[in-house]
Amino acid sequence: MLDPKVLMTIKDLPLLAKTVIDGFMNGFNKSTVKGPGLEFSQYRSYQPGDDLRWLDWRMYARSDRYYIRESEIETSISVRFLVDASASMNHDDNGIKKIDYARFLAASLAYLANTQGDSVALNVFKDGDLFSLPSKPDPQHLQRLLYHLQLIDPSGKFTKPVHYKELFAGNDRKELLIFITDMYQLNGEISALLASLSALKHEVIVFHLMGQNELDLDFKGYATLEDMETGETIQVNTQSTKSTYQYKLQQYLAAIRSDLLSKHIFYRMLSTAQPLDAALRDFLVQRKKGEI
């Protein structure tokens, strides 16, 4: 149930989020972990139906296995979702838009965070403006967040840096920030945002979304490509330019990764054809680092 094509058939976003997380948590390997310093009397293997608030994320980060901690309560954190809703997020690959994938991913992670007792918040970067939903831990607030995710309709260009100071005004709490974007920028505005986030000492995850047709330069014979934010067009011969394109694409992705790692920002590029598993696992590991 983590395949984006399957998720496209679920129109109710809260149901989709629950379906994704239930499927993800039921699909793990239950093999036993043994090692020094572990008091096994305080742990047991996760069983379907267990309260997710009692999962031990430290054990997961160390062993990639799920255990219920029976004698200690996990500290909650604040998880803020930053969603790029500029026009380029309407890019479509085989019926799945980048914004669809972003919506699925943010909704699923917000649901998982909420089951942990974490506060969740949402910022949407769209048409040069910034939408903000503050951080709260209650289930009703999760429903508000999912409602606003459902309403997102990408348009315009990415939000200008002048608005970035509004993100954390009056909030001194350390947060785990999940930025979902296609990294398309005209004047370095996304790089400016990430530099600001890095300076605030929060844990940051960047999920960089790309269509599989972008990665493969496979546009079904089309010879004209249009920039979804500027309207500019370019004529291409996909067959003759494919090797050069893919070489430059790998250079581009490597440069992004290197830049973000230098800022201590976790980076993962995801194809919109890819199941959500990898992103969910990344979140669980980074959540532990962001715990306060």
Side-chain angles (χ1 to χ4, degrees):
M1 288 301 293
L2 304 185
D3 188 315
K5 288 185 179 180
V6 176
L7 299 180
M8 285 292 293
T9 66
I10 304 176
K11 303 305 180 184
D12 182 83
L13 195 57
L15 175 61
L16 181 148
K18 183 178 186 303
T19 300
V20 167
I21 296 306
D22 286 350
F24 175 68
M25 297 307 298
N26 289 337
F28 64 84
N29 187 325
K30 300 187 180 68
S31 61
T32 301
V33 174
K34 295 184 179 180
L38 301 180
E39 297 180 21
F40 287 100
S41 62
Q42 296 181 9
Y43 297 91
R44 62 175 174 80
S45 296
Y46 171 84
Q47 299 295 327
D50 282 337
D51 191 332
L52 295 181
R53 290 175 298 178
W54 295 92
L55 273 174
D56 189 304
W57 301 114
R58 291 187 182 90
M59 289 286 286
Y60 173 81
R62 291 167 57 185
S63 66
D64 200 31
R65 299 291 183 267
Y66 297 87
Y67 290 89
I68 294 294
R69 179 163 47 199
E70 299 182 305
S71 60
E72 185 179 352
I73 298 176
E74 188 73 12
T75 304
S76 64
I77 65 172
S78 177
V79 182
R80 181 177 297 271
F81 296 91
L82 314 175
V83 179
D84 180 352
S86 57
S88 61
M89 292 292 284
N90 271 323
H91 176 90
D92 188 299
D93 179 23
N94 198 24
I96 301 172
K97 294 182 178 180
K98 290 178 180 176
I99 194 60
D100 294 326
Y101 197 97
R103 207 184 332 263
F104 300 160
L105 181 55
S108 301
L109 292 176
Y111 180 89
L112 178 57
N114 189 254
T115 64
Q116 288 292 295
D118 295 338
S119 299
V120 291
L122 175 66
N123 294 108
V124 180
F125 300 80
K126 175 184 174 181
D127 204 13
D129 205 356
L130 178 67
F131 168 81
S132 297
L133 186 70
S135 179
K136 293 183 180 180
D138 59 276
Q140 291 76 19
H141 188 66
L142 172 65
Q143 295 305 311
R144 287 191 287 273
L145 185 147
L146 297 178
Y147 171 76
H148 286 290
L149 278 176
Q150 190 71 65
L151 291 180
I152 295 176
D153 182 19
S155 65
K157 299 176 182 178
F158 194 82
T159 302
K160 297 178 181 178
V162 68
H163 294 287
Y164 298 165
K165 62 180 180 294
E166 303 171 19
L167 274 173
F168 306 106
N171 182 13
D172 297 325
R173 185 180 183 186
K174 185 179 179 182
E175 295 184 305
L176 174 58
L177 310 179
I178 313 293
F179 183 34
I180 307 174
T181 177
D182 63 357
M183 292 299 294
Y184 181 85
Q185 54 186 335
L186 294 175
N187 298 300
E189 52 275 8
I190 292 180
S191 296
L193 170 62
L194 292 172
S196 298
L197 299 181
S198 175
L200 292 170
K201 307 301 182 183
H202 297 285
E203 287 292 332
V204 184
I205 301 177
V206 172
F207 289 124
H208 178 187
L209 306 187
M210 294 192 70
Q212 193 62 43
N213 52 7
E214 289 181 291
L215 294 170
D216 298 337
L217 194 62
D218 181 10
F219 294 100
K220 311 300 182 185
Y222 284 97
T224 303
L225 302 181
E226 179 180 352
D227 187 313
M228 300 183 75
E229 296 190 10
T230 67
E232 296 180 14
T233 60
I234 184 174
Q235 301 293 318
V236 296
N237 184 323
T238 57
Q239 294 304 314
S240 64
T241 61
K242 195 166 189 175
S243 60
T244 301
Y245 169 85
Q246 292 184 332
Y247 173 74
K248 291 185 176 181
L249 174 62
Q250 293 308 311
Q251 287 186 313
Y252 164 73
L253 295 176
I256 292 176
R257 176 183 292 275
S258 177
D259 177 59
L260 295 188
L261 289 179
S262 73
K263 294 180 172 64
H264 306 288
I265 293 174
F266 181 91
Y267 170 81
R268 168 82 74 172
M269 192 279 291
L270 297 169
S271 163
T272 55
Q274 181 177 341
L276 301 183
D277 306 59
L280 296 177
R281 292 180 182 276
D282 290 340
F283 168 78
L284 295 183
V285 173
Q286 296 303 309
R287 181 194 180 279
K288 172 47 53 186
K289 293 182 179 179
E291 184 178 304
I292 56 176

